C-alpha cells in the first residue's frame, strides 16, 4: 500500500518541485527586468538633466554677454555725454571770458559786441 501511495504521490511531488522552481525563476526574472527598467529610467533622467543643465548654462552665458554688451554701451554713452558736457562748459567759460573782456560803456541793455557773442 505504501508503494502505491509513493507511486501516486511521486508525480505530484515532482510537479510541485517543478512548480516551485518555475515560480522562483519567474521571481528572479521579474526582479532582473525591474532592475533593468530602473536603470534605464535613471539613465534617461540623467540624460534629461544634463540636457537642461546645458540649456541653462547656454542661457546664462547669453544673459552674461547681453549684460556685458549693455554695460559697454552705457559706458560709451556716458563717455560721449561727459565729453559733450565738458565741451559745453568750456564754451560757456569762453563766452563768459569774452563777455567780461567787452567794455562796459554804461549802456543799458545789449550792445553790438554782446549781441555778436550771443549769436555764436
Amino acid at each position: 500500500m505504501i508503494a502505491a501511495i509513493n507511486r501516486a504521490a511521486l508525480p505530484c511531488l515532482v510537479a510541485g518541485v517543478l512548480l516551485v522552481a518555475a515560480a522562483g525563476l519567474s521571481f528572479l526574472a521579474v526582479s532582473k527586468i525591474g532592475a533593468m527598467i530602473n536603470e534605464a529610467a535613471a539613465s534617461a533622467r540623467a540624460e534629461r538633466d544634463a540636457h537642461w543643465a546645458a540649456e541653462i548654462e547656454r542661457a546664462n552665458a547669453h544673459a552674461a554677454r547681453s549684460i556685458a554688451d549693455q554695460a559697454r554701451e552705457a559706458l560709451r554713452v556716458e563717455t560721449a555725454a561727459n565729453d559733450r558736457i565738458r565741451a559745453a562748459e568750456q564754451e560757456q567759460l569762453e563766452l563768459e571770458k569774452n563777455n567780461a573782456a567787452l567794455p562796459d560803456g554804461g549802456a543799458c541793455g545789449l550792445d553790438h559786441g554782446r549781441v555778436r557773442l550771443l549769436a555764436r
Side-chain angles (χ1 to χ4, degrees):
M1 180 148 160
I2 292 179
I5 293 176
N6 281 342
R7 266 190 224 167
L10 185 62
C12 289
L13 185 62
V14 169
V17 168
L18 286 177
L19 188 61
V20 168
L25 288 175
S26 296
F27 177 74
L28 285 175
V30 167
S31 69
K32 288 288 184 186
I33 290 172
M36 289 186 330
I37 289 172
N38 289 339
E39 183 180 328
S43 174
R45 273 192 295 277
E47 184 179 332
R48 184 194 64 223
D49 290 348
H51 167 75
W52 286 112
E55 285 293 322
I56 290 170
E57 196 62 36
R58 196 173 304 126
N60 286 343
H62 178 69
R65 270 194 310 276
S66 295
I67 290 169
D69 290 345
Q70 288 175 354
R72 276 193 296 278
E73 182 64 17
L75 184 60
R76 185 191 66 75
V77 168
E78 182 181 4
T79 302
N82 286 338
D83 290 344
R84 290 178 71 187
I85 289 170
R86 265 188 250 105
E89 287 173 348
Q90 186 64 32
E91 184 179 343
Q92 181 183 0
L93 287 174
E94 188 178 317
L95 279 174
E96 287 177 0
K97 186 174 111 179
N98 290 341
N99 185 41
L102 289 175
D104 187 20
C108 184
L110 294 175
D111 61 1
H112 180 66
R114 291 190 185 355
V115 171
R116 281 188 348 167
L117 278 179
L118 290 175
R120 283 194 344 176

